[in-house]
Amino acid sequence: MSIKAVVFDAYGTLYDIQSVADVTEDAFPGYGEIITQVWRIKQLEYTWLRSLMQRYQDFDAVTREALAYTLRVLGLAYDSEAFERVIEKYLHLDLYPDAASALAALRPRKLAILSNGSPDMLNALVRNSGLDRLLDATISVDAKKIFKPSPAAYQLIGEVLGAAPDEVLFVSSNPWDVAGAKSFGLNVAWIERVTPEAMALACVENELVAPLTMFRALRTQMDELGFAPDHRVRSLSELPTIVARP
C-alpha cells in the first residue's frame, strides 16, 4: 500500500479519556471512577442516538448532556462552578506518551485528526497539547452534522486532505470507529490497549467488577460487526513501521 495520509481519532486514541478521572474525583470525592466511566458511555451513546434521531447537537452539547445525566443518576448535587471545572478537562486531556513522537516519525505524510469533537473543543485540545505543530488538519464531524461511524463523517477525510480511501491509514483505539472506517473503505489500524487476557484477569482478581473493568468490557474489544482492522497494534509507536512497508 502507498499511504499518503495518516488520520487519527482523537478521544481514546491520541488523548487519554481516562485522564478526566483526577478532576472528577477532586470535584466529587469517592465518585470519580464511576462518574468517569458512566459519563463516557453516555457521551458515546448520545452521539449515536442523536445521529439516528437526526437531532444533531455538537459534541460540546453532547458531553454536557452526558455529564448532567451521570451526576443526576448518581444523586450528586453540584453547582455550575463544579460542573464547568469537570467539563474544562476535555480541553486539557493528557496525550498518550508516545503520541507526539509517533506523529513526528510519520512525516512527510499528511497527518490529521478526524473526531466527533466540536471545532472549538478540538482546536483548544490540539493547541493545549502542542499537536498543532504536527498536524496538517483537525477535522470535526460538525461539518456534516452527524457523528462517526456515519460514512458521511469519514468522507470528510477525502474532502479535506484530497486523498482516496486506499491512500489513507485511519488509526483508532475505539472498536466501533474501526468498524466504521473499515466499512467506509479506509485502511485501518486498531490500537488494542486492553487485551481479552487482561480483561479476564481483572475479573478473576476482584470479587466485584470495577467501573473501569465494565467500561473496558463494553468499549475496548472489537465488535462483532463483520469489519476487522488491517493492522492490530498495541501502541502508536508501531505505526511508522506499518506505513513504511512497501
PDB file of all heavy atoms in Angstrom, residues 28 52 130:
ATOM      1  N   PHE A  28     -15.902  15.390  43.057  1.00  0.00           N
ATOM      2  CA  PHE A  28     -16.884  14.542  43.725  1.00  0.00           C
ATOM      3  C   PHE A  28     -16.160  13.377  44.400  1.00  0.00           C
ATOM      4  O   PHE A  28     -16.115  12.259  43.863  1.00  0.00           O
ATOM      5  CB  PHE A  28     -17.918  14.018  42.719  1.00  0.00           C
ATOM      6  CG  PHE A  28     -18.670  15.104  42.007  1.00  0.00           C
ATOM      7  CD1 PHE A  28     -18.256  15.546  40.748  1.00  0.00           C
ATOM      8  CD2 PHE A  28     -19.774  15.704  42.591  1.00  0.00           C
ATOM      9  CE1 PHE A  28     -18.938  16.555  40.094  1.00  0.00           C
ATOM     10  CE2 PHE A  28     -20.459  16.717  41.944  1.00  0.00           C
ATOM     11  CZ  PHE A  28     -20.045  17.149  40.695  1.00  0.00           C
ATOM     12  N   LEU A  52     -29.047   8.840  14.854  1.00  0.00           N
ATOM     13  CA  LEU A  52     -30.190   8.044  14.407  1.00  0.00           C
ATOM     14  C   LEU A  52     -31.485   8.847  14.427  1.00  0.00           C
ATOM     15  O   LEU A  52     -32.342   8.691  13.558  1.00  0.00           O
ATOM     16  CB  LEU A  52     -30.332   6.801  15.283  1.00  0.00           C
ATOM     17  CG  LEU A  52     -29.279   5.707  15.066  1.00  0.00           C
ATOM     18  CD1 LEU A  52     -29.337   4.679  16.186  1.00  0.00           C
ATOM     19  CD2 LEU A  52     -29.487   5.030  13.717  1.00  0.00           C
ATOM     20  N   GLY A 130      -0.019  20.852  22.113  1.00  0.00           N
ATOM     21  CA  GLY A 130       1.109  21.081  21.224  1.00  0.00           C
ATOM     22  C   GLY A 130       1.063  20.309  19.923  1.00  0.00           C
ATOM     23  O   GLY A 130       1.991  20.419  19.112  1.00  0.00           O
TER      24      GLY A 130
END
